[in-house]
Amino acid sequence: MSEHQQVRGKLLRNIRSEAGARVFYLATRFFIPPFVLAHIGMQAYGLYGTFFILVAYIGISTVGFSSAYIKYVAEFAAGRRYDEANRLLSAGIFITTPIALTVFTVFALSWNFVAVRMQVPPAMASDARFLAFTIVGSFLMCLGLSAYRDALSGLQRIRTVQRIWITSFVVESALIFLLVGRGWGLRGMGIAFVARSVIDLGCSAVVAYRTIPWLRVSVRLIDRPAMRRLLGFGSIVQINSLLAIFLNTVERVIATPLCGLAAAGLLDISTRLPYMAISVPSSFVGAALPSISDLQGRDGSGELKHDLVRHVYLTCTRYMNAISGSLLGFIAVVAIPVLGFWLKQVPLGSPLIMIAFAIACQFHLMTGPGTSMVKGIGKPRMEFHYSLANIAALFVTVPLSRLFFGSWSATSVGVGVAAATMISAVYFISVANRTLQIGGSNFLRHSVLPGVLPYVAAFASGVPMHLIAVPQGRILLGLWLGCRFAIFAAVLVPLWWFFTASTNEKAEVMRRVWWQRQALPAQA
């Protein structure tokens, strides 16, 4: 087996583990928003979502360490430099933990000011305080102790990490339905998040110590080289992460002061399905960083490493774009029926926001392999080409969107933000392709076309379905959507097969189909 095949095989195994866990995660997340909305209302739901924006900004002081853990543990383990890996992990844990405690103390002392700025209604003051302290405390605890989970990811033990994650979010989901259903409201949401965090961190630490024989964490192992690596690489990633958090939440950051918490809740609910859809194909990004970092830590010529990194990048962009297009393309074309089935009543303006973000999410997702690539090869500054371009585009697209729609609203803000994402994503992808010496026409044919064909199939599948009126009621609407998706899949598969599948991919599919046919009689 060639080295390309070995790298691709390991990468795809890790991707399957992540993708399987994320599909299960989607299944639980799909039912939570309508259930919670029915029990606490749009305003309280908007407050819950706003707290996660807040904690994301609070935790930015240490978020860059996660990428550093994954990158350097992968590199050091590949080169059997275990002592350096232990020194790096020790430095990170003993730096971030006191920082997290300090940040929590400052937040607790400034809560009254924060509550006023967030326009928390007096009737929600007590629950909001409880929710804020539990979410912020859990989030900061994760930032301080996530080194064990990241060490497992760096060693490409993705299946183990995902099993722990599945356990944590299943418990969280069960607690949400139990506690919110019994009238605990926002307090129940906070307790569920705490339980998820404790299970994730605790199990990751236990498994890491039991399965990594060389793992040692001690304050005595901290040294200057480890500090320089964390603060050098980590600081650049921290700045990029700050910009990424801002860009991932900018529509609600803009809408909350201009339009109120209800608009923030509308944006959150309208973008939820596109964001849920990309969580499955984004597993390619999670698997790409440790894979590329592992290649960097191996012995070998620079030309061979460059070729293998390019192979990982193209593999990720191709399959990730195909999967994301098959989900987002369908959502974009049938946005109104999907929202009607999901929420029962379609909020005004929500379909257009969902369509805009479905397309923008696909553009954004295609930048993932590029950002993993630049971090894996030790050039995280290149990620600024995406984030800064996105911010620059916002100053143009958001005001233009406001002029087009005539006023500030959730719709005008959402469409403007989506447009900025698409423009900046195209620019960054071109920069990543130039770095890896990938031609534009080759990239369009190899990686872009598989993600465009699902939109063609989604529109084509609507031709026979126009003969059937969109029904009322969730059950009939669900059956209608199921038929529409079946026709969509029947159209899409031949398009992929004849227009994008390579000879090797066709041979692999035929081999697996033949193997399944041979296995069935034996099992019988």
Side-chain angles (χ1 to χ4, degrees):
M1 182 180 292
S2 68
E3 192 161 6
H4 281 82
Q5 291 175 321
Q6 291 177 358
V7 171
R8 182 174 180 272
K10 193 170 187 178
L11 176 67
L12 293 180
R13 283 195 299 273
N14 289 336
I15 288 169
R16 282 194 293 268
S17 297
E18 284 216 24
R22 293 179 188 229
V23 168
F24 192 26
Y25 180 78
L26 283 179
T28 62
R29 299 300 109 168
F30 183 83
F31 297 101
I32 288 176
F35 174 81
V36 172
L37 275 175
H39 284 79
I40 68 175
M42 182 67 78
Q43 189 176 42
Y45 185 82
L47 180 64
Y48 175 74
T50 303
F51 277 130
F52 280 95
I53 300 175
L54 178 65
V55 297
Y57 284 106
I58 290 174
I60 196 63
S61 59
T62 55
V63 73
F65 289 119
S66 180
S67 295
Y69 293 144
I70 296 173
K71 170 181 168 53
Y72 286 114
V73 167
E75 279 193 24
F76 293 153
R80 299 184 181 276
R81 297 152 61 189
Y82 302 129
D83 183 63
E84 292 181 68
N86 284 329
R87 292 182 183 280
L88 183 90
L89 293 170
S90 298
I93 291 173
F94 287 104
I95 289 173
T96 56
T97 299
I99 290 176
L101 291 173
T102 302
V103 171
F104 182 80
T105 302
V106 172
F107 174 77
L109 294 175
S110 59
W111 164 246
N112 290 333
F113 171 78
V114 173
V116 171
R117 299 296 297 174
M118 291 180 63
Q119 302 178 18
V120 176
M124 296 183 184
S126 178
D127 288 346
R129 178 186 176 90
F130 178 87
L131 182 67
F133 279 41
T134 52
I135 290 180
V136 171
S138 300
F139 190 80
L140 290 173
M141 179 176 61
C142 291
L143 291 173
L145 301 176
S146 63
Y148 299 106
R149 180 183 59 214
D150 294 330
L152 292 169
S153 297
L155 295 173
Q156 302 193 61
R157 298 180 183 179
I158 305 299
R159 181 176 298 179
T160 300
V161 173
Q162 297 309 314
R163 285 175 177 172
I164 296 171
W165 183 51
I166 288 172
T167 302
S168 68
F169 73 68
V170 166
V171 172
E172 179 197 28
S173 301
L175 287 174
I176 287 175
F177 284 109
L178 176 64
L179 298 177
V180 175
R182 293 196 171 191
W184 287 54
L186 292 174
R187 291 176 179 264
M189 302 284 285
I191 292 171
F193 186 74
V194 171
R196 170 180 167 176
S197 301
V198 170
I199 292 171
D200 190 13
L201 292 175
C203 291
S204 295
V206 171
V207 171
Y209 275 113
R210 287 185 175 181
T211 61
I212 305 176
W214 49 263
L215 180 61
R216 300 289 184 276
V217 173
S218 172
V219 67
R220 292 175 296 179
L221 294 176
I222 300 175
D223 61 5
R224 288 185 179 181
M227 297 283 288
R228 282 196 298 268
R229 288 190 181 98
L230 282 172
L231 298 179
F233 182 91
S235 62
I236 300 299
V237 176
Q238 283 171 12
I239 297 172
N240 278 322
S241 298
L242 173 62
L243 296 174
I245 290 171
F246 169 73
L247 293 170
N248 287 338
T249 59
V250 66
E251 70 278 0
R252 282 171 284 170
V253 172
I254 296 173
T256 299
L258 292 176
C259 312
L261 284 173
L266 178 61
L267 282 164
D268 183 83
I269 205 71
S270 302
T271 59
R272 181 60 61 92
L273 283 180
Y275 284 138
M276 288 168 64
I278 66 173
S279 70
V280 176
S282 63
S283 57
F284 286 79
V285 179
L289 177 57
S291 179
I292 293 173
S293 300
D294 176 79
L295 293 174
Q296 290 296 109
R298 295 185 187 182
D299 296 329
S301 66
E303 184 177 350
L304 176 60
K305 289 181 181 180
H306 183 82
D307 188 45
L308 291 172
V309 169
R310 181 167 49 205
H311 178 71
V312 170
Y313 172 79
L314 286 173
T315 299
C316 287
T317 53
R318 178 177 175 81
Y319 295 124
M320 184 177 67
N321 198 33
I323 296 172
S324 63
S326 65
L327 298 172
L328 294 169
F330 184 79
I331 288 174
V333 174
V334 293
I336 294 177
V338 166
L339 283 168
F341 172 72
W342 187 39
L343 301 176
K344 197 172 183 179
Q345 293 184 342
V346 180
L348 183 65
S350 186
L352 182 56
I353 297 172
M354 178 180 283
I355 293 169
F357 271 85
I359 300 172
C361 280
Q362 186 163 356
F363 277 78
H364 170 69
L365 200 62
M366 286 194 67
T367 67
T371 57
S372 293
M373 180 269 295
V374 298
K375 284 185 282 193
I377 64 176
K379 297 180 179 179
R381 288 182 177 85
M382 290 182 62
E383 201 172 346
F384 288 129
H385 285 286
Y386 180 40
S387 53
L388 295 181
N390 202 334
I391 292 173
L394 284 170
F395 283 102
V396 178
T397 58
V398 172
L400 286 177
S401 182
R402 190 266 179 211
L403 289 174
F404 179 81
F405 287 97
S407 64
W408 287 117
S409 65
T411 302
S412 62
V413 172
V415 171
V417 170
T421 299
M422 289 184 269
I423 293 170
S424 56
V426 171
Y427 171 68
F428 176 76
I429 291 168
S430 67
V431 172
N433 289 348
R434 284 199 302 270
T435 301
L436 292 174
Q437 300 174 354
I438 299 171
S441 59
N442 179 43
F443 185 78
L444 287 172
R445 183 177 62 257
H446 182 274
S447 298
V448 175
L449 183 59
V452 174
L453 291 179
Y455 290 84
V456 177
F459 280 109
S461 67
V463 175
M465 293 302 294
H466 280 309
L467 301 175
I468 305 174
V470 179
Q472 301 296 319
R474 273 187 168 175
I475 296 177
L476 292 177
L477 187 55
L479 292 173
W480 185 91
L481 285 170
C483 293
R484 180 74 181 261
F485 189 81
I487 298 173
F488 163 72
V491 174
L492 178 58
V493 171
L495 287 177
W496 274 342
W497 184 265
F498 290 109
F499 290 100
T500 65
S502 66
T503 303
N504 290 335
E505 288 169 337
K506 290 179 180 179
E508 178 68 14
V509 171
M510 296 302 294
R511 185 187 68 80
R512 289 181 179 274
V513 171
W514 175 258
W515 181 85
Q516 290 290 344
R517 287 180 177 177
Q518 294 296 313
L520 287 176
Q523 291 174 0

